Amino acid sequence: MINFGGGNPGNSKPATFTAIKPNGMQWELTQEVIKYYKKKVINLVDMTGPENSEEAMKQQRINLQDQPVFPGLVKDMTG
């Protein structure tokens, strides 16, 4: 989740909320989005990422649990 622009008390500029889906994060699009907004001279106010528990990731990727890459995948997604 990225918040660009104003939205703060006393700031007359409107805030822009931008959400990047997990596949966008996989394709490393976050950096491209930030570059685009900086080029447009829009200030970055806040940026947060998802916090995924190991159990939640295991449940979301249960179809891959028999694959040899599964432990590394879960580790990368929760680390």
Side-chain angles (χ1 to χ4, degrees):
M1 172 174 43
I2 302 172
N3 184 9
F4 291 97
N8 297 325
N11 189 342
S12 62
K13 292 182 180 180
T16 301
F17 173 79
T18 305
I20 300 173
K21 298 190 306 185
N23 63 339
M25 304 225 8
Q26 176 184 356
W27 289 97
E28 300 177 0
L29 296 178
T30 305
Q31 185 176 3
E32 295 302 317
V33 171
I34 293 170
K35 284 180 187 178
Y36 174 80
Y37 279 114
K38 282 186 175 184
K39 190 166 79 171
K40 297 290 182 180
V41 193
I42 299 173
N43 296 327
L44 173 63
V45 176
D46 183 30
M47 185 165 132
T48 59
E51 299 201 11
N52 301 315
S53 70
E54 186 173 331
E55 275 306 308
M57 286 296 99
K58 284 181 179 179
Q59 288 300 316
Q60 288 180 7
R61 303 294 186 250
I62 200 163
N63 61 319
L64 300 174
Q65 70 183 4
D66 296 329
Q67 301 295 320
V69 299
F70 185 72
L73 176 68
V74 171
K75 182 180 175 187
D76 287 345
M77 293 180 74
T78 57

